[in-house]
Amino acid sequence: MDDLRIAVVGIGATGAVLAAALLSRDPDTILVDPRPGLEEELRKGGIRITGQLDYQVPVRRFFNRIEMCREHRPNCIFVATKTFHLPQVLEELKSVFQEGTKIVSTHNGLGTEDLIAEVFGPEAAFRMSLNFGVALKGPTAVETAFFNRPNHLGALVPENRGFGLRLAERLSAGGLDTECVDDIKRFVWKKMIMKCTMASICAVTDRTIQEALDFPPTREIADACFKEVLAVAKAKGYDLGEDYLTQALGYLEKVGVHKDSMCVDIANKTRTEIDFLGGKVVEYGRETGVPTPCYATMANLVKAMEDRYLRR
C-alpha cells in the first residue's frame, strides 16, 4: 500500500472528512478544490472535524486545479464534488489519468460510478456509499452530526476487489470505518432510496426529515414516493425485500432531526443535485417502464424553484 498516491477532489464538507481521515495516515495526500481563498485557510489552520468524528490535520499538498497535481501522479482519486460538477471533473481528470488509476465517486445520487466507467472504463470505477452526516461550519471546519458505521466501498469489476480491500483498510485505519463489498450498487440503492425520496420533499417544504415524516400530508407523499422508487429499484435488479421500508424508516427516525442538504441548496439559491436524485429515479422509471408520477412531480417542483432563482 506504500505505492498508493491519493488525491481528493472537492473539499466541501464530505471531501474535508475524507481528506482528514486520509491525511491522518498519509500527510502527502493531495487536495484539489478551486474555491477562492481555500488554500490560504488550509495552509493556515489545516482541516478541523468535530462532532461524531474528531480530526485536526495539517495540509501539505493543495492545488486549485486538477492538472496541477499531474507531477505527483495520483493513482487513486476520490471525487467529492457536487454531482452536477462530475462530468467536468472527469474531463479535467484526463490530464492526470494513467493506466491503473482508480477513481472513487463519493457522491450523493444514482449512477455516478457509471459516468466514471463511460469515460475511463469500468476497471477504473469505484463507488462509496457514505453513512455520515456533515455540515460546513467554516471554510475548513466541518461538524459531523452522525456516523452509522461502516461506510461501504466497491468496484464495478471483481478484479478490483483486492485494491478495494486495501483502500477500505486505509480509510478504516484513519478512523473512517469502511467495508469493501462485492455489490456496491445494492448499498447505493439502499441509501439513495431514502435520500432520493426525502430530499425533494424537504427542499420544497423546508422541513427536516423528521418533520416531513411526522406531518400527514408530506408523509403521504413520502409513502407514495417510497413505493415508486422500490419498484424502480426492483426493475433495475435490486429487490430489497419486504422489510426494507421498515428498516429505512427506522434509520430516518434516528438521523432525521436535520434538514437535507438540498434544503441548504435551495436556501442559498444554488444549484441542487436533483438530476442525480429524484430526476435519476424518474429516468430509470421511464427506462424500465415503471410509472413514477409522485417522483416526477417532486423533481419538477425542485427544478422549478431552481429555475426561478438561477435565472435572476
Side-chain angles (χ1 to χ4, degrees), residues 43-116:
R43 301 288 187 196
K44 182 170 57 177
I47 295 174
R48 178 69 176 128
I49 312 294
T50 56
Q52 294 297 306
L53 292 163
D54 184 17
Y55 298 95
Q56 177 68 61
V57 292
V59 175
R60 290 182 184 176
R61 293 181 174 177
F62 176 87
F63 302 100
N64 55 29
R65 296 198 310 276
I66 289 173
E67 63 183 24
M68 296 173 69
C69 66
R70 184 188 299 122
E71 66 180 83
H72 296 285
R73 297 172 59 81
N75 55 18
C76 180
I77 302 169
F78 287 82
V79 184
T81 63
K82 290 286 191 177
T83 51
F84 48 78
H85 289 310
L86 182 57
Q88 180 59 39
V89 168
L90 294 178
E91 183 64 28
E92 294 177 17
L93 282 175
K94 291 178 181 178
S95 67
V96 301
F97 187 85
Q98 55 189 322
E99 185 177 355
T101 298
K102 310 303 180 188
I103 301 174
V104 186
S105 165
T106 68
H107 300 85
N108 284 317
L110 294 162
T112 55
E113 67 280 1
D114 296 325
L115 286 183
I116 296 172

Side-chain angles (χ1 to χ4, degrees), residues 162-272:
F163 187 93
L165 286 168
R166 290 181 289 141
L167 191 56
E169 182 181 358
R170 171 68 67 87
L171 289 163
S172 297
L176 206 58
D177 298 23
T178 301
E179 179 183 349
C180 181
V181 297
D182 291 330
D183 189 355
I184 186 59
K185 285 180 178 286
R186 184 174 187 84
F187 287 87
V188 170
W189 270 109
K190 289 178 74 173
K191 179 185 177 183
M192 285 303 122
I193 281 173
M194 295 182 282
K195 175 75 173 177
C196 292
T197 297
M198 299 309 302
S200 57
I201 297 172
C202 292
V204 170
T205 62
D206 192 30
R207 293 172 182 265
T208 67
I209 295 170
Q210 190 64 64
E211 288 169 344
L213 289 173
D214 287 344
F215 185 54
T218 46
R219 177 57 180 263
E220 184 176 356
I221 297 170
D223 288 342
C225 286
F226 274 124
K227 290 179 182 178
E228 291 179 2
V229 70
L230 285 168
V232 171
K234 185 175 182 179
K236 293 288 286 183
Y238 292 94
D239 185 350
L240 301 181
E242 295 180 0
D243 62 342
Y244 170 75
L245 188 52
T246 300
Q247 297 172 11
L249 290 171
Y251 176 89
L252 289 172
E253 286 173 0
K254 289 193 297 183
V255 305
V257 294
H258 71 287
K259 289 185 177 180
D260 187 87
S261 58
M262 194 176 289
C263 291
V264 178
D265 295 333
I266 293 292
N268 292 337
K269 294 182 168 53
T270 56
R271 189 176 175 185
T272 74

